[in-house]
mmCIF file of all heavy atoms in Angstrom:
data_model
loop_
_atom_site.group_PDB
_atom_site.id
_atom_site.type_symbol
_atom_site.label_atom_id
_atom_site.label_comp_id
_atom_site.label_asym_id
_atom_site.label_seq_id
_atom_site.Cartn_x
_atom_site.Cartn_y
_atom_site.Cartn_z
ATOM 1 N N TYR A 72 -9.633 16.124 14.575
ATOM 2 C CA TYR A 72 -9.231 14.764 14.211
ATOM 3 C C TYR A 72 -10.368 14.034 13.487
ATOM 4 O O TYR A 72 -10.146 13.333 12.494
ATOM 5 C CB TYR A 72 -8.788 13.980 15.460
ATOM 6 C CG TYR A 72 -8.638 12.522 15.174
ATOM 7 C CD1 TYR A 72 -7.686 12.072 14.257
ATOM 8 C CD2 TYR A 72 -9.465 11.573 15.783
ATOM 9 C CE1 TYR A 72 -7.570 10.735 13.938
ATOM 10 C CE2 TYR A 72 -9.357 10.234 15.473
ATOM 11 C CZ TYR A 72 -8.403 9.816 14.552
ATOM 12 O OH TYR A 72 -8.304 8.490 14.227
ATOM 13 N N GLU A 73 -11.599 14.208 13.990
ATOM 14 C CA GLU A 73 -12.741 13.553 13.327
ATOM 15 C C GLU A 73 -12.860 14.022 11.874
ATOM 16 O O GLU A 73 -13.098 13.236 10.967
ATOM 17 C CB GLU A 73 -14.042 13.867 14.079
ATOM 18 C CG GLU A 73 -14.161 13.122 15.389
ATOM 19 C CD GLU A 73 -15.221 13.721 16.321
ATOM 20 O OE1 GLU A 73 -15.887 14.719 15.936
ATOM 21 O OE2 GLU A 73 -15.337 13.216 17.441
ATOM 22 N N LEU A 74 -12.671 15.310 11.659
ATOM 23 C CA LEU A 74 -12.759 15.858 10.301
ATOM 24 C C LEU A 74 -11.628 15.319 9.423
ATOM 25 O O LEU A 74 -11.842 14.924 8.278
ATOM 26 C CB LEU A 74 -12.698 17.385 10.349
ATOM 27 C CG LEU A 74 -13.936 18.088 10.906
ATOM 28 C CD1 LEU A 74 -13.602 19.529 11.285
ATOM 29 C CD2 LEU A 74 -15.067 18.061 9.874
ATOM 30 N N LEU A 75 -10.424 15.300 9.988
ATOM 31 C CA LEU A 75 -9.257 14.843 9.222
ATOM 32 C C LEU A 75 -9.414 13.375 8.831
ATOM 33 O O LEU A 75 -9.078 12.972 7.714
ATOM 34 C CB LEU A 75 -7.981 15.047 10.059
ATOM 35 C CG LEU A 75 -6.649 14.643 9.450
ATOM 36 C CD1 LEU A 75 -6.400 15.353 8.127
ATOM 37 C CD2 LEU A 75 -5.501 14.939 10.419
ATOM 38 N N SER A 76 -9.973 12.569 9.748
ATOM 39 C CA SER A 76 -10.068 11.135 9.423
ATOM 40 C C SER A 76 -11.226 10.803 8.489
ATOM 41 O O SER A 76 -11.323 9.662 8.051
ATOM 42 C CB SER A 76 -10.121 10.257 10.678
ATOM 43 O OG SER A 76 -10.592 10.938 11.757
ATOM 44 N N LEU A 77 -12.045 11.794 8.155
ATOM 45 C CA LEU A 77 -13.116 11.521 7.184
ATOM 46 C C LEU A 77 -12.548 11.102 5.834
ATOM 47 O O LEU A 77 -13.066 10.210 5.176
ATOM 48 C CB LEU A 77 -13.979 12.770 6.981
ATOM 49 C CG LEU A 77 -14.977 13.133 8.084
ATOM 50 C CD1 LEU A 77 -15.678 14.439 7.732
ATOM 51 C CD2 LEU A 77 -15.992 12.014 8.275
ATOM 52 N N GLU A 78 -11.491 11.767 5.403
ATOM 53 C CA GLU A 78 -10.945 11.511 4.054
ATOM 54 C C GLU A 78 -9.553 10.908 4.077
ATOM 55 O O GLU A 78 -9.064 10.461 3.052
ATOM 56 C CB GLU A 78 -10.874 12.818 3.237
ATOM 57 C CG GLU A 78 -12.097 13.715 3.297
ATOM 58 C CD GLU A 78 -13.342 13.068 2.722
ATOM 59 O OE1 GLU A 78 -13.214 12.113 1.936
ATOM 60 O OE2 GLU A 78 -14.450 13.500 3.092
ATOM 61 N N SER A 79 -8.887 10.971 5.220
ATOM 62 C CA SER A 79 -7.472 10.650 5.247
ATOM 63 C C SER A 79 -7.223 9.442 6.146
ATOM 64 O O SER A 79 -7.486 9.496 7.341
ATOM 65 C CB SER A 79 -6.716 11.871 5.772
ATOM 66 O OG SER A 79 -5.358 11.626 5.737
ATOM 67 N N ASP A 80 -6.727 8.348 5.543
ATOM 68 C CA ASP A 80 -6.499 7.126 6.325
ATOM 69 C C ASP A 80 -5.184 7.164 7.088
ATOM 70 O O ASP A 80 -5.052 6.538 8.127
ATOM 71 C CB ASP A 80 -6.501 5.901 5.400
ATOM 72 C CG ASP A 80 -7.852 5.716 4.735
ATOM 73 O OD1 ASP A 80 -8.864 5.925 5.423
ATOM 74 O OD2 ASP A 80 -7.882 5.388 3.534
ATOM 75 N N PHE A 81 -4.205 7.876 6.550
ATOM 76 C CA PHE A 81 -2.876 7.885 7.183
ATOM 77 C C PHE A 81 -2.334 9.311 7.265
ATOM 78 O O PHE A 81 -1.286 9.622 6.660
ATOM 79 C CB PHE A 81 -1.895 7.020 6.377
ATOM 80 C CG PHE A 81 -2.454 5.697 5.951
ATOM 81 C CD1 PHE A 81 -2.594 5.380 4.602
ATOM 82 C CD2 PHE A 81 -2.850 4.765 6.896
ATOM 83 C CE1 PHE A 81 -3.116 4.170 4.204
ATOM 84 C CE2 PHE A 81 -3.373 3.537 6.509
ATOM 85 C CZ PHE A 81 -3.516 3.242 5.161
ATOM 86 N N PRO A 82 -2.992 10.192 8.018
ATOM 87 C CA PRO A 82 -2.510 11.581 8.055
ATOM 88 C C PRO A 82 -1.104 11.694 8.624
ATOM 89 O O PRO A 82 -0.380 12.641 8.289
ATOM 90 C CB PRO A 82 -3.507 12.298 8.975
ATOM 91 C CG PRO A 82 -4.537 11.313 9.371
ATOM 92 C CD PRO A 82 -4.177 9.966 8.835
ATOM 93 N N GLU A 83 -0.699 10.710 9.423
ATOM 94 C CA GLU A 83 0.654 10.783 10.011
ATOM 95 C C GLU A 83 1.735 10.614 8.947
ATOM 96 O O GLU A 83 2.869 11.047 9.159
ATOM 97 C CB GLU A 83 0.812 9.752 11.135
ATOM 98 C CG GLU A 83 0.833 8.285 10.698
ATOM 99 C CD GLU A 83 -0.559 7.667 10.563
ATOM 100 O OE1 GLU A 83 -1.514 8.398 10.253
ATOM 101 O OE2 GLU A 83 -0.678 6.443 10.750
ATOM 102 N N PHE A 84 1.407 9.984 7.810
ATOM 103 C CA PHE A 84 2.396 9.876 6.720
ATOM 104 C C PHE A 84 2.428 11.183 5.928
ATOM 105 O O PHE A 84 3.479 11.778 5.720
ATOM 106 C CB PHE A 84 2.051 8.735 5.749
ATOM 107 C CG PHE A 84 1.943 7.361 6.369
ATOM 108 C CD1 PHE A 84 1.200 6.364 5.746
ATOM 109 C CD2 PHE A 84 2.589 7.056 7.562
ATOM 110 C CE1 PHE A 84 1.097 5.091 6.304
ATOM 111 C CE2 PHE A 84 2.490 5.785 8.131
ATOM 112 C CZ PHE A 84 1.732 4.807 7.498
ATOM 113 N N THR A 85 1.253 11.581 5.449
ATOM 114 C CA THR A 85 1.211 12.764 4.583
ATOM 115 C C THR A 85 1.627 14.026 5.350
ATOM 116 O O THR A 85 2.233 14.924 4.785
ATOM 117 C CB THR A 85 -0.192 12.950 3.986
ATOM 118 O OG1 THR A 85 -1.156 12.738 5.008
ATOM 119 C CG2 THR A 85 -0.437 11.982 2.852
ATOM 120 N N ALA A 86 1.322 14.063 6.645
ATOM 121 C CA ALA A 86 1.692 15.251 7.429
ATOM 122 C C ALA A 86 3.203 15.388 7.565
ATOM 123 O O ALA A 86 3.705 16.430 7.974
ATOM 124 C CB ALA A 86 1.051 15.185 8.812
ATOM 125 N N ARG A 87 3.933 14.323 7.226
ATOM 126 C CA ARG A 87 5.399 14.398 7.281
ATOM 127 C C ARG A 87 6.025 14.567 5.909
ATOM 128 O O ARG A 87 7.047 15.232 5.777
ATOM 129 C CB ARG A 87 5.966 13.129 7.941
ATOM 130 C CG ARG A 87 5.755 13.130 9.436
ATOM 131 C CD ARG A 87 6.176 11.810 10.070
ATOM 132 N NE ARG A 87 6.254 11.962 11.513
ATOM 133 C CZ ARG A 87 5.191 11.960 12.324
ATOM 134 N NH1 ARG A 87 3.988 11.823 11.841
ATOM 135 N NH2 ARG A 87 5.351 12.118 13.630
ATOM 136 N N VAL A 88 5.448 13.938 4.883
ATOM 137 C CA VAL A 88 6.165 13.913 3.596
ATOM 138 C C VAL A 88 5.448 14.611 2.445
ATOM 139 O O VAL A 88 6.009 14.730 1.358
ATOM 140 C CB VAL A 88 6.504 12.459 3.173
ATOM 141 C CG1 VAL A 88 7.318 11.754 4.243
ATOM 142 C CG2 VAL A 88 5.255 11.666 2.837
ATOM 143 N N CYS A 89 4.219 15.064 2.674
ATOM 144 C CA CYS A 89 3.484 15.636 1.545
ATOM 145 C C CYS A 89 4.069 16.999 1.154
ATOM 146 O O CYS A 89 4.376 17.812 2.028
ATOM 147 C CB CYS A 89 2.010 15.793 1.916
ATOM 148 S SG CYS A 89 0.989 16.093 0.465
ATOM 149 N N PRO A 90 4.226 17.251 -0.141
ATOM 150 C CA PRO A 90 4.668 18.597 -0.534
ATOM 151 C C PRO A 90 3.580 19.645 -0.314
ATOM 152 O O PRO A 90 3.813 20.823 -0.525
ATOM 153 C CB PRO A 90 4.993 18.436 -2.016
ATOM 154 C CG PRO A 90 4.238 17.246 -2.468
ATOM 155 C CD PRO A 90 4.085 16.342 -1.285
ATOM 156 N N ALA A 91 2.405 19.195 0.125
ATOM 157 C CA ALA A 91 1.297 20.097 0.470
ATOM 158 C C ALA A 91 0.761 20.833 -0.755
ATOM 159 O O ALA A 91 0.913 22.056 -0.891
ATOM 160 C CB ALA A 91 1.691 21.062 1.587
ATOM 161 N N LEU A 92 0.123 20.078 -1.618
ATOM 162 C CA LEU A 92 -0.526 20.655 -2.802
ATOM 163 C C LEU A 92 -1.600 21.641 -2.356
ATOM 164 O O LEU A 92 -1.893 22.631 -3.029
ATOM 165 C CB LEU A 92 -1.147 19.546 -3.651
ATOM 166 C CG LEU A 92 -0.248 18.329 -3.953
ATOM 167 C CD1 LEU A 92 -0.976 17.293 -4.783
ATOM 168 C CD2 LEU A 92 1.021 18.762 -4.677
ATOM 169 N N CYS A 93 -2.193 21.372 -1.198
ATOM 170 C CA CYS A 93 -3.232 22.246 -0.628
ATOM 171 C C CYS A 93 -2.681 23.650 -0.370
ATOM 172 O O CYS A 93 -3.359 24.649 -0.615
ATOM 173 C CB CYS A 93 -3.749 21.650 0.683
ATOM 174 S SG CYS A 93 -2.432 21.242 1.851
ATOM 175 N N GLU A 94 -1.448 23.713 0.116
ATOM 176 C CA GLU A 94 -0.881 25.023 0.457
ATOM 177 C C GLU A 94 -0.623 25.845 -0.805
ATOM 178 O O GLU A 94 -0.779 27.067 -0.795
ATOM 179 C CB GLU A 94 0.394 24.850 1.288
ATOM 180 C CG GLU A 94 0.098 24.241 2.654
ATOM 181 C CD GLU A 94 1.315 24.137 3.554
ATOM 182 O OE1 GLU A 94 2.333 24.791 3.278
ATOM 183 O OE2 GLU A 94 1.242 23.388 4.542
ATOM 184 N N ALA A 95 -0.257 25.152 -1.889
ATOM 185 C CA ALA A 95 -0.038 25.879 -3.147
ATOM 186 C C ALA A 95 -1.351 26.440 -3.683
ATOM 187 O O ALA A 95 -1.357 27.409 -4.442
ATOM 188 C CB ALA A 95 0.597 24.954 -4.186
ATOM 189 N N ALA A 96 -2.489 25.809 -3.296
ATOM 190 C CA ALA A 96 -3.795 26.254 -3.789
ATOM 191 C C ALA A 96 -4.498 27.183 -2.793
ATOM 192 O O ALA A 96 -5.611 27.646 -3.056
ATOM 193 C CB ALA A 96 -4.676 25.035 -4.060
ATOM 194 N N CYS A 97 -3.857 27.451 -1.661
ATOM 195 C CA CYS A 97 -4.455 28.310 -0.621
ATOM 196 C C CYS A 97 -4.679 29.722 -1.184
ATOM 197 O O CYS A 97 -3.812 30.270 -1.878
ATOM 198 C CB CYS A 97 -3.502 28.359 0.570
ATOM 199 S SG CYS A 97 -3.958 29.519 1.868
ATOM 200 N N CYS A 98 -5.834 30.306 -0.882
ATOM 201 C CA CYS A 98 -6.144 31.656 -1.409
ATOM 202 C C CYS A 98 -5.154 32.703 -0.898
ATOM 203 O O CYS A 98 -4.960 33.736 -1.537
ATOM 204 C CB CYS A 98 -7.566 32.054 -1.040
ATOM 205 S SG CYS A 98 -8.801 31.077 -1.914
ATOM 206 N N HIS A 99 -4.555 32.450 0.254
ATOM 207 C CA HIS A 99 -3.542 33.389 0.760
ATOM 208 C C HIS A 99 -2.354 33.527 -0.192
ATOM 209 O O HIS A 99 -1.613 34.500 -0.108
ATOM 210 C CB HIS A 99 -3.024 32.916 2.124
ATOM 211 C CG HIS A 99 -3.674 33.611 3.277
ATOM 212 N ND1 HIS A 99 -3.916 34.959 3.285
ATOM 213 C CD2 HIS A 99 -4.106 33.143 4.470
ATOM 214 C CE1 HIS A 99 -4.476 35.293 4.432
ATOM 215 N NE2 HIS A 99 -4.627 34.219 5.167
ATOM 216 N N GLN A 100 -2.161 32.536 -1.077
ATOM 217 C CA GLN A 100 -1.054 32.625 -2.046
ATOM 218 C C GLN A 100 -1.205 33.846 -2.936
ATOM 219 O O GLN A 100 -0.251 34.299 -3.532
ATOM 220 C CB GLN A 100 -1.040 31.371 -2.925
ATOM 221 C CG GLN A 100 -0.435 30.155 -2.278
ATOM 222 C CD GLN A 100 1.009 29.942 -2.694
ATOM 223 O OE1 GLN A 100 1.326 30.005 -3.870
ATOM 224 N NE2 GLN A 100 1.873 29.704 -1.744
ATOM 225 N N LEU A 101 -2.423 34.357 -3.041
ATOM 226 C CA LEU A 101 -2.661 35.497 -3.929
ATOM 227 C C LEU A 101 -2.168 36.804 -3.333
ATOM 228 O O LEU A 101 -1.866 37.743 -4.049
ATOM 229 C CB LEU A 101 -4.157 35.605 -4.242
ATOM 230 C CG LEU A 101 -4.732 34.422 -5.031
ATOM 231 C CD1 LEU A 101 -6.238 34.486 -5.083
ATOM 232 C CD2 LEU A 101 -4.139 34.402 -6.438
ATOM 233 N N ASP A 102 -2.092 36.865 -1.990
ATOM 234 C CA ASP A 102 -1.652 38.126 -1.393
ATOM 235 C C ASP A 102 -0.454 37.946 -0.471
ATOM 236 O O ASP A 102 0.438 38.773 -0.431
ATOM 237 C CB ASP A 102 -2.809 38.810 -0.630
ATOM 238 C CG ASP A 102 -3.417 37.906 0.435
ATOM 239 O OD1 ASP A 102 -3.004 36.730 0.522
ATOM 240 O OD2 ASP A 102 -4.299 38.368 1.171
ATOM 241 N N GLU A 103 -0.402 36.841 0.270
ATOM 242 C CA GLU A 103 0.753 36.649 1.150
ATOM 243 C C GLU A 103 1.169 35.180 1.106
ATOM 244 O O GLU A 103 1.194 34.614 0.030
ATOM 245 C CB GLU A 103 0.430 37.121 2.562
ATOM 246 C CG GLU A 103 -0.967 36.762 3.030
ATOM 247 C CD GLU A 103 -1.252 37.159 4.444
ATOM 248 O OE1 GLU A 103 -0.489 36.726 5.311
ATOM 249 O OE2 GLU A 103 -2.242 37.864 4.675
ATOM 250 N N GLU A 104 1.475 34.593 2.262
ATOM 251 C CA GLU A 104 1.913 33.198 2.250
ATOM 252 C C GLU A 104 0.790 32.292 2.722
ATOM 253 O O GLU A 104 -0.017 32.669 3.582
ATOM 254 C CB GLU A 104 3.130 33.034 3.142
ATOM 255 C CG GLU A 104 4.369 33.642 2.530
ATOM 256 C CD GLU A 104 5.589 33.345 3.366
ATOM 257 O OE1 GLU A 104 5.718 33.954 4.440
ATOM 258 O OE2 GLU A 104 6.393 32.507 2.950
#
Side-chain angles (χ1 to χ4, degrees):
Y72 168 63
E73 286 163 1
L74 288 163
L75 180 57
S76 24
L77 284 177
E78 315 297 339
S79 183
D80 297 320
F81 315 118
E83 69 274 30
F84 302 157
T85 44
R87 285 174 167 79
V88 303
C89 194
L92 312 179
C93 52
E94 294 184 16
C97 173
C98 291
H99 262 318
Q100 281 262 313
L101 295 170
D102 56 355
E103 40 177 304
E104 288 186 287

